[in-house]
């Protein structure tokens, strides 16, 4: 066995340079309560890109270093530097989730050796990961690493939306944009659970895709009658809760205004304060860092907030979190199956052309790192 | 006693004309459980202006009608009409709160006749109001109608901020802009109760005014070092809750970013998702109908929402609401004293020049209607 392993690191310098390289890290020996996992697959989720590439100007991507020790650099625009203050000079490991095989374990966990596990916890873009068992789920026999690699972030987020709906006493969900891997999972969950879901997509092709999965309410934001259709779907479902993966621009505002238009039509008399129906939108992915523009034609009974899986899990009842994990494992190859555009090595992740491709965050494009 | 009385009404026509006039209304006879109050004073709060004048173009104010039956008209800009849809053609009474003397009462409430009361419930810009006792508070002996006229909206809103802080487990409050009548009440409440309050004002004169009332943390948004000072005040107070009366523009966003800057300095390590400190801003007055611009440099643990006194009271524990009312009456002439720029009659409220003046919503300018 080797005495060291490679781990991808992202660093931003005081001068505004992003640098990604592979760091050679001493291979640790697991103590009691620890597992050493050889990582076999780790997805590049939109939520990883913020740490991996930050707000780098993608037109400045440059290959540096040697074939042996490659590196990727890019410029950070000056105006984005203040928000980076807290990470300047820190060599940050990246990768929220992944899957691999337990190769060594503490004396109390010897029965785990040889098992394939899904993991969450960061630093997954690496050849190995020392981890505690409560951040792992043992995969069913015969499951591949690719099948288990994306078993946390998207599945738990989709289930977290449903649990949030229940906890906050809404009865239906709006999701925008809805054709992502996560969106497809949400369509399947809501179909199985009998929850009304309004899917906002960005093209007729995406609408087609979701209808093929059994989605009932699909509204295309590129259509001329988008707002009218959105109101109709809200009328039909009674949705007062939405999750917006973009955040920037006006989608959050458009959804709130459509909810209010429906609610105000049901009011017995006019109130200049708007309806007293609570309208909630969560911004969860922040795929756009542009400002959120709220055109407040939706009264005073509304809320817009950030939604983060890790915060949700920390505050959720442990039984809810347990129920979510069990379902994810049980439905790994059905509800929660992910599809990948390409599999790349750690070294390939540092190639400028490849980085430009996986950074696009385009719906339906998803990369898997196989260290 | 007259057989009819005058009540101010605001109507918006399909064609986009706002019309304010005085309607002659039959004087009702109070039944059991009802009081008839002769209204002696009713303030024009910012919260009344939305119904009274709507989004009218103030440059088009025109006097119409006769001296006997005056009217005021103005144009509603075309783009503002969709939001007015629900009130088109309805003759709406106006005026959230007021004070007056009980002149008649149902057989079960005869002991109330002759008492002076403060009231909430709408339709206060009128000579009389039929009302139930639970929407009234009997004023102390010797209290004037002017003293009791503004005893609900501003005082209960200011106390509602403090109760919201307690209920949502924050420990300090930021208020912007803070030099209003309401803001001055909040300074006094927080001083008495030992609550840390950050006051954002818009001029050195306003800063002076609040310091004179005993405010400790006053930050002037017109100063060059505003954002730095705001962060310092947040650092000193630990404020994670703010109330923004404007809503439009960037103040909400500036406050959230300052809270996050302080929270992130306290984090043991960098997280690309930002701090896990919940940062909450409520928009309560919506004095500006311009879009709210959120420049999301504040992570994913945040919430922005509407705050409305009536919704708060409906959801609050009855003992909390009772405690708030008792305090308001007890501290009527101290903590909750209001100051008026001018007293005007119902007819004067229909004068274009006067309307232009009371519509300005300027800090320190407040009108009282004395029917």
């Amino acid at each position: 066995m080797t005495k060291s392993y490679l781990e991808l690191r992202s660093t931003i310098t005081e001068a505004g340079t992003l640098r990604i390289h592979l760091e050679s890290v001493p291979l640790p020996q697991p103590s009691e309560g620890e597992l050493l996992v050889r990582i076999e697959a780790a997805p590049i989720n939109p939520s990883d890109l913020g740490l991996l590439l930050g707000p780098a100007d993608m037109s400045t991507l440059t290959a540096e270093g040697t074939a042996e020790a490659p590196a990727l650099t890019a410029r950070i625009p000056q105006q984005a530097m203040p928000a980076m203050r807290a990470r300047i000079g820190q060599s940050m490991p990246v990768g929220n989730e992944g899957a691999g095989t337990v190769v060594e374990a503490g004396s109390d966990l010897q029965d785990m050796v040889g098992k394939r596990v899904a993991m969450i916890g960061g630093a997954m873009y690496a050849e190995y990961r020392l981890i505690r068992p409560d951040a792992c789920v043992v995969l069913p026999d015969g499951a591949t690493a690719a099948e288990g690699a994306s078993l946390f972030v998207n599945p738990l987020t989709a289930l977290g939306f449903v649990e949030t709906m229940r906890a906050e006493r809404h009865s239906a969900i709006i999701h925008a944009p809805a054709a992502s891997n996560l969106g497809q999972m949400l369509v399947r969950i809501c179909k199985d659970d009998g929850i009304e879901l309004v899917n906002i997509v960005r093209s007729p092709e995406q609408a087609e895709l979701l209808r093929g999965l059994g989605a009932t309410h699909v509204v295309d934001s590129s259509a001329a009658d988008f707002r009218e259709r959105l109101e109709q779907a809200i009328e039909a479902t009674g949705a007062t809760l939405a999750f917006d993966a973009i955040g920037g621009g006006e989608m959050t505002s458009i959804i709130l205004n459509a909810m209010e238009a429906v609610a105000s039509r049901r009011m017995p008399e006019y109130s200049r304060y708007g309806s007293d129906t609570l309208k909630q939108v969560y911004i969860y992915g922040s795929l756009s860092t542009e400002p959120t523009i709220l055109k407040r034609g939706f009264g005073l009974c509304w809320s817009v907030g950030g939604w983060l899986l890790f915060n949700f899990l920390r505050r959720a009842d442990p039984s809810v979190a347990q129920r979510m994990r069990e379902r994810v494992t049980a439905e790994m190859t059905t509800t929660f199956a992910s599809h990948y555009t390409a599999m790349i090595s750690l070294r390939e992740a540092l190639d400028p052309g490849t980085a430009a491709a996986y950074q696009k965050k385009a719906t339906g494009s998803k990369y898997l790192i196989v260290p």
Side-chain angles (χ1 to χ4, degrees), chain A:
Chain A
M1 202 160 187
T2 52
K3 290 284 195 295
S4 69
Y5 68 95
L6 293 177
E7 184 174 88
L8 186 148
R9 297 290 184 85
S10 171
T11 314
I12 290 177
T13 67
E14 187 81 46
T17 299
L18 168 84
R19 182 183 165 86
I20 304 175
H21 77 285
L22 299 179
E23 179 88 4
S24 183
V25 180
L27 196 69
Q29 194 68 29
S31 305
E32 265 196 29
E34 290 179 339
L35 306 171
L36 183 67
V37 178
R38 187 180 63 234
I39 297 175
E40 294 156 340
I44 303 181
N45 288 315
S47 55
D48 295 308
L49 290 171
L51 184 58
L52 182 63
L53 293 167
D57 178 348
M58 298 305 290
S59 70
T60 63
L61 286 176
T62 308
E64 290 192 4
T66 61
E68 192 56 9
L72 179 66
T73 65
R75 298 289 311 159
I76 306 286
Q78 199 52 45
Q79 71 272 21
M81 283 300 291
M84 296 296 106
R85 201 168 44 186
R87 61 171 288 191
I88 286 175
Q90 294 184 57
S91 174
M92 320 259 342
V94 188
N96 277 316
E97 64 181 340
T101 300
V102 179
V103 291
E104 286 190 52
S107 57
D108 55 331
L109 294 170
Q110 283 298 315
D111 59 323
M112 290 286 286
V113 174
K115 289 199 170 139
R116 185 164 271 162
V117 293
M119 302 174 284
I120 191 162
M124 296 294 169
Y125 299 165
E127 294 175 321
Y128 289 90
R129 178 72 157 83
L130 192 71
I131 199 160
R132 286 166 15 108
D134 61 2
C136 303
V137 163
V138 175
L139 295 178
D141 284 346
T144 67
E147 283 171 339
S150 297
L151 222 44
F152 281 93
V153 177
N154 279 343
L156 290 181
T157 299
L159 288 173
F161 291 175
V162 172
E163 296 294 348
T164 299
M165 180 198 83
R166 291 193 177 117
E168 299 183 5
R169 294 163 185 276
H170 298 275
S171 59
I173 296 172
I174 299 173
H175 186 215
S180 59
N181 259 299
L182 190 158
Q184 296 175 34
M185 290 175 190
L186 191 61
V187 167
R188 293 186 208 112
I189 293 166
C190 289
K191 192 178 166 215
D192 288 350
D193 292 10
I195 295 166
E196 295 266 40
L197 174 68
V198 177
N199 298 278
I200 298 177
V201 297
R202 297 188 275 190
S203 69
E205 294 70 34
Q206 293 180 347
E208 197 64 25
L209 170 70
L210 293 194
R211 287 213 181 84
L213 297 176
T216 312
H217 303 283
V218 185
V219 188
D220 179 359
S221 62
S222 73
D225 61 352
F226 165 55
R227 294 186 191 211
E228 198 184 322
R229 298 262 174 183
L230 179 60
E231 282 189 27
Q232 287 165 0
I234 292 170
E235 184 94 51
T237 57
T240 50
L241 171 68
F243 293 88
D244 174 3
I246 305 290
E250 291 193 32
M251 184 57 78
T252 288
S253 188
I254 289 167
I255 293 169
L256 287 169
N257 278 302
M259 287 174 175
E260 177 68 4
V262 173
S264 68
R265 280 201 287 273
R266 291 179 187 164
M267 290 170 70
E269 59 181 24
Y270 173 77
S271 162
R272 97 117 187 129
Y273 304 111
S275 75
D276 65 351
T277 301
L278 177 61
K279 298 160 291 291
Q280 172 78 55
V281 180
Y282 286 111
I283 294 173
Y284 74 95
S286 291
L287 295 189
S288 159
T289 54
E290 292 296 302
T292 307
I293 312 292
L294 302 177
K295 296 188 171 169
R296 289 165 296 117
F298 37 77
L300 277 161
C301 205
W302 59 276
S303 175
V304 173
W307 194 97
L308 182 66
L309 176 62
F310 308 114
N311 291 340
F312 171 79
L313 289 175
R314 196 177 312 129
R315 279 154 202 168
D317 189 279
S319 68
V320 168
Q322 182 59 24
R323 182 169 74 203
M324 288 164 67
R325 278 172 176 236
E326 282 168 9
R327 180 161 178 183
V328 166
T329 325
E331 302 176 17
M332 179 180 77
T333 58
T334 53
T335 312
F336 301 113
S338 281
H339 303 284
Y340 299 98
T341 314
M343 300 204 180
I344 58 175
S345 68
L346 277 175
R347 281 201 164 72
E348 284 167 336
L350 272 57
D351 173 72
T354 308
Y358 63 64
Q359 183 272 346
K360 276 188 186 145
K361 305 177 192 172
T363 296
S365 138
K366 186 156 190 179
Y367 281 68
L368 188 69
I369 294 182
V370 285

